[in-house]
Each structure stands twice: as C-alpha cells, then as structure tokens.
Amino acid sequence: MIYALIMFQFHPRKIVILHLIMLVIIISIIPMMFNYGNEDFMRIEYSRLSIETSFLLIPFLTLFITMDHNTPYLRPFDAYFGRSKMFFSKWLTSVLMYTYAFLIIIVIQESILTLWTHENVYNVIVSSYLRGHADGLILLTLCQMIIKDRHKTISLLIPVIWIVLSMVFDDIRSPILYYLLPIGKSVFSTYQLAYPYQLCYSVLVMILAHQKSVWETI
Amino acid sequence: MNKRFDLDIDQKDFVLVSGDNGTGKTTFIQLVLGYTRPDVGSVEMKKIKIGFLPEKAMLPMFIQVSDYLKTMARIKKGKADDFLIHALQVPMLHGIHELSKGNLQKLAIVSTFMGNPELVILDEPFSGLDQESQVILSDYIKMKQKEGMSFIISTHRPEYFQGFANKTIDL
C-alpha cells in the first residue's frame, strides 16, 4: 500500500519540487558561512543557523508532503482496504517521505560544515535535530488530521501558525504551554525527557487523527 | 433522503437503485460505504472488500495507465481482467491526465473489479460511456454476478438490468 501511495502521490513532478525545497533549505545556510572568519565561531553559528532555518522551513516541507493525503482518488481505496488501514498507510508514507527529506537535509548540511572545519560535529547537534524531527512528526500528523481536499488552499496557514507558535514558545517560557504543544524550539525541549514526551505526544495525535479519520463523514 | 426501508444484501444479490436527480441515490451509496452516517436507523456491515466506482471517475493524474494498473494489481493482489481491458479498449500507453472522460471511466471500471471484491458498488457506471461500452459493461456485470459477486448499482438507465436485479430501490 505504501508503495502505491508513493507511486500515486509522489509523481515525478512532485518529487522534483520536493527536492527543490530540500535544496533551498540546504543552500539557504551556505552564504552565511562566509560572514564568519573564525572557524570555531563559524561552527557554532552555522549549527545554530542551520537549526533555525530547519525550524522555519521544515514546516512547509511537512505540509508539502502531507497536503495530498485527502485526494478524492483515494476514496475507492477506503472502501476496498478500510479506512483504518488507509489512514495508517498514509501516515506511514508521510513519515517515511519526511524522514527521507529530513535526513538528506541534515546529512548534507552537516557534511558541508565537517568538510569546511575538518571537525566532526554530528554528536554536538544530533539532539537538536531529533527535536526538529519530532516537531515535524507532530506537525505532519496534525496536517493529516486537519487538511481536507475541499479547503486545501488554506492549509498554507498551518505551517505559518506553527512558526508563529514556535516563536511565541521561544519567548514565553511556560511549561504548561509546552505540555499542551511540545514544540522543539521551546527551552523545555532541551530537558532530558522532552524528546520521549514529543514522541508520545505525536503518537497521541496520531491516535486522535485515526479516530477522526475512521468516524468522520467524507 | 427521507425514505425509510430495510435492506439486506447477501452474496450474489443485485440491488438496483434508481430515482430522479436529488432523490438520494448517491447518499444511499455513501451510507452503505460508511462515508456518511444516517440521522435515523443504522447500517451494519461485515468486513468485506468493496469495489467502489464513484459517480465521477477519480484517478491519480500523473501516472501512465499501464503503471497504474500494475500498481493496483500489486496492492489488490489480483490482476486486471484482460477481457475487460480489451473489450473496453482501455488505452494502456497513455498518461491518465491525457485520457478523455469516457476512457477515464473505463479505466476506473477496470480498477474497480480488480482484486475480486465481494461487493461492487457502481454509481452511475454508464456515465461517459458510448453505447457499445455500455452493453459490454452490463454483460460483464451480469457475468460477474453469476460468478458470485454482489452488486449495488445506481443508474439512470435501469432498463439495462431489467429482470436481472433481485432487489430494487426506487428513491
């Protein structure tokens, strides 16, 4: 089923656009490298900026991956395979495509830095990227729950709202807000149990999205 | 849809749903499929494979017809019926986005019957089909029913199935 969803939803044109978005995310950081002479300073700034850029652009990448999940041609599949199986297949397809894009982006971004500074920096920033990845998982599940084919055009608001919330959560340091929506940019996401909490939260959202998908009128 | 009725659908049943525009034929089909819930009464369904052909053929656009059928065969674990493909003259080497309305309908019909569904629901199956294809399809449906497939068909052309349907709903 996942094979079929990738074939139908990620046709060559969409794959080209997906890779263009990935390329934009990767190269958007490179010009900033030339502003820093000192290698240590550059390494810190580059890592910080690459994470910042990821937090800003990856919500749009997530939206792009999930936006076609409710297309009308999948309705006969609901009848044949059942809505529950279809939901999990669509979710898993989105997670796979997102993880693929995310991995490519961070590996290339960090390889550039490693080549530039001759220093292995993977260990330093891996936790930040894990937070970013969990962020994307929550967002793509929310997208799958919210986006409907008939009002797909306004789905662009979802990543915009997500980015605004990220900024707000970065400033307002309230644990209650973090419990309600564990956005990776919050200061609380650096806590030891934050990443497992983010994963549990994304599973919870996935269960809610599944229930909605099974019972809603289509 | 305000009409109240009880309906059981068993194996080999052929339910013909007819009625004027706006009387609730598509709503009835959506109720059976579980796409919508009834305000009054209930719909109970066994867990079965349902082949569904919507009123408007819905297919992924940017893929070649042959690739689409190959993928469908892979996920439904059943080949497309070569007889139906040849009889309806489905253009295999075109992209789906290049197909006319009639050819889209033909391709959707072929994919509906793939994977040996226990129940086939066809909403206006003759929409966009020429006279010859309509006859081929109605004969094919009759053949499949004899093989044990159940059908719910909503149509403006009930004359094709007169004397064949064992249950009729006139909305």
Side-chain angles (χ1 to χ4, degrees), chain B residues 60-102:
Chain B
M61 281 295 131
F62 300 100
I63 185 168
Q64 209 175 39
V65 172
S66 55
D67 290 337
Y68 173 71
L69 289 176
K70 268 184 217 159
T71 311
M72 292 299 285
R74 193 167 160 173
I75 58 168
K76 286 191 170 180
K77 297 184 178 77
K79 264 188 76 191
D81 192 332
D82 287 335
F83 164 76
L84 195 58
I85 291 172
H86 289 119
L88 292 175
Q89 294 174 331
V90 179
M92 297 292 279
L93 298 174
H94 286 72
I96 293 179
H97 64 282
E98 296 168 329
L99 299 184
S100 65
K101 190 186 174 224

Side-chain angles (χ1 to χ4, degrees), chain B residues 17-88:
Chain B
V17 186
S18 57
D20 296 332
N21 289 333
T23 50
K25 296 192 293 296
T26 300
T27 307
F28 169 75
I29 284 174
Q30 285 180 331
L31 283 167
V32 175
L33 287 166
Y35 288 0
T36 185
R37 315 240 166 242
D39 296 327
V40 181
S42 64
V43 180
E44 284 172 25
M45 192 87 171
K46 274 186 187 169
K47 214 173 179 184
I48 54 167
K49 290 174 188 168
I50 301 174
F52 171 48
L53 176 75
E55 191 174 5
K56 193 178 166 215
M58 297 188 280
L59 298 162
M61 281 295 131
F62 300 100
I63 185 168
Q64 209 175 39
V65 172
S66 55
D67 290 337
Y68 173 71
L69 289 176
K70 268 184 217 159
T71 311
M72 292 299 285
R74 193 167 160 173
I75 58 168
K76 286 191 170 180
K77 297 184 178 77
K79 264 188 76 191
D81 192 332
D82 287 335
F83 164 76
L84 195 58
I85 291 172
H86 289 119
L88 292 175

Side-chain angles (χ1 to χ4, degrees), chain A residues 51 55 98 102 125-138 178 182-191 194-195 198:
Chain A
I51 291 163
F55 274 115
Y98 166 68
F102 191 84
I125 45 134
V126 77
S127 64
S128 306
Y129 280 126
L130 281 177
R131 273 163 25 214
H133 186 258
D135 248 21
L137 284 184
I138 295 169
Y178 185 75
I183 288 180
K185 209 153 181 301
S186 165
V187 70
F188 298 104
S189 66
T190 54
Y191 287 18
Y195 181 63
Q198 274 187 309

Side-chain angles (χ1 to χ4, degrees), chain A residues 38-91:
Chain A
N38 180 293
E39 274 198 357
D40 281 344
F41 187 58
M42 193 196 82
R43 180 170 59 78
I44 295 161
E45 276 303 301
Y46 180 88
S47 298
R48 189 184 66 77
L49 286 169
S50 61
I51 291 163
E52 290 282 328
T53 320
S54 302
F55 274 115
L56 277 178
L57 296 176
I58 281 180
F60 291 98
L61 183 84
T62 312
L63 173 73
F64 183 72
I65 288 169
T66 51
M67 69 192 304
D68 288 329
H69 81 94
N70 192 234
T71 44
Y73 65 75
L74 292 176
R75 272 171 216 158
F77 288 65
D78 285 334
Y80 189 85
F81 295 104
R83 282 159 86 167
S84 198
K85 187 177 177 184
M86 279 308 292
F87 169 82
F88 285 117
S89 303
K90 284 191 264 186
W91 185 78

Side-chain angles (χ1 to χ4, degrees), chain A residues 139-170:
Chain A
L139 183 59
L140 76 84
T141 316
L142 281 172
C143 284
Q144 201 160 330
M145 188 154 79
I146 296 165
I147 298 172
K148 292 278 153 272
D149 195 60
R150 55 183 174 269
H151 36 75
K152 202 157 68 174
T153 39
I154 58 165
S155 64
L156 198 67
L157 285 174
I158 297 171
V160 174
I161 292 169
W162 185 265
I163 290 163
V164 170
L165 282 175
S166 293
M167 289 168 175
V168 170
F169 279 38
D170 203 16

